[in-house]
Amino acid sequence: LELLEKQLATVAQETDYEYLLTLRGRATVLTKAQAIIEAACEELYLRFFPSRWERLARTIHAAAERGVGVRLIAMGAIPPAFDIQVSHPEVTGLFEKLGGETIDIIADRSEALVGMFEAERPDQSPVIWTRNRWFVTANRDSLRHDIYHYFLDKLHEQKKALDDRDQAIYDVIKNDD
């Protein structure tokens, strides 16, 4: 019985991936963001304002060139570059509404960097990094739902039909769980 208890204890050991770690400071956060993007192998879900995009664009393009699927939600004017890229429907005044710039990176369904550079204190703003499975899953789904928001706005607010590109994006996101 003691042997079984010891074996169970080793199987159930927590790793540092169970924790949510708080990072502060733009340089620290953007360095971590770059490392996550560089290590991505399969997919990246991203949500950026243009200023963060400018800092990470080359790294993201390099990931796409390696075959990583990029799903980008632009929180402002970011040039179209990926098969799955949409603009948040409420970009006008979004910085003011949110009180800062969000940064969201979900890589390979296994790692998340999520937070906001608050307008009043961008270098002290908390940004969370983790490999906690449930946190990663919840934030990945949040980004998928932001893409659905794009479709709802187009269909119901703008009263426009989905074009072929939008339909292709919808089909991928709908089946991407």
Side-chain angles (χ1 to χ4, degrees):
L1 189 58
E2 286 179 13
L3 177 61
L4 181 58
E5 286 176 349
K6 286 180 183 179
Q7 288 175 338
L8 283 174
T10 62
V11 170
Q13 284 182 345
E14 286 187 6
T15 68
D16 61 342
Y17 302 149
E18 296 298 318
Y19 300 104
L20 306 180
L21 303 176
T22 302
L23 306 178
R24 293 185 194 276
R26 281 182 281 207
T28 301
V29 170
L30 293 175
T31 297
K32 186 63 168 177
Q34 190 164 349
I36 292 169
I37 295 164
E38 287 173 348
C41 297
E42 296 175 22
E43 73 171 23
L44 287 167
Y45 269 86
L46 309 166
R47 181 170 46 198
F48 292 122
F49 276 80
S51 59
R52 297 305 130 222
W53 164 255
E54 291 165 8
R55 171 79 188 268
L56 297 168
R58 276 184 271 153
T59 307
I60 297 165
H61 281 289
E65 288 170 10
R66 289 193 317 272
V68 175
V70 175
R71 290 110 166 96
L72 174 64
I73 301 157
M75 303 295 274
I78 295 176
F82 306 103
D83 291 341
I84 300 177
Q85 179 176 339
V86 299
S87 292
H88 193 284
E90 300 173 3
V91 294
T92 304
L94 199 53
F95 178 89
E96 293 77 17
K97 181 179 177 180
L98 295 174
E101 291 186 12
T102 57
I103 180 169
D104 299 272
I105 300 171
I106 310 298
D108 297 334
R109 300 175 187 241
S110 63
E111 189 169 11
L113 183 69
V114 177
M116 180 184 306
F117 296 108
E118 297 168 355
E120 299 298 319
R121 53 188 206 116
D123 283 318
Q124 291 80 39
S125 302
V127 175
I128 303 300
W129 171 78
T130 190
R131 290 185 178 156
N132 177 284
R133 184 177 110 171
W134 297 114
F135 189 90
V136 170
T137 299
N139 281 280
R140 184 179 180 275
D141 281 349
S142 170
L143 297 184
R144 289 178 63 230
H145 285 100
D146 238 17
I147 295 172
Y148 285 127
H149 186 198
Y150 162 82
F151 295 123
L152 288 171
D153 181 77
K154 188 166 190 175
L155 292 168
H156 296 287
E157 301 298 325
Q158 299 177 35
K159 307 290 186 206
K160 294 180 181 178
L162 300 183
D163 60 23
D164 290 343
R165 180 181 177 279
D166 287 338
Q167 187 62 51
I169 293 171
Y170 177 81
D171 291 341
V172 169
I173 298 302
K174 179 180 78 170
N175 295 307
D176 192 22
D177 53 332

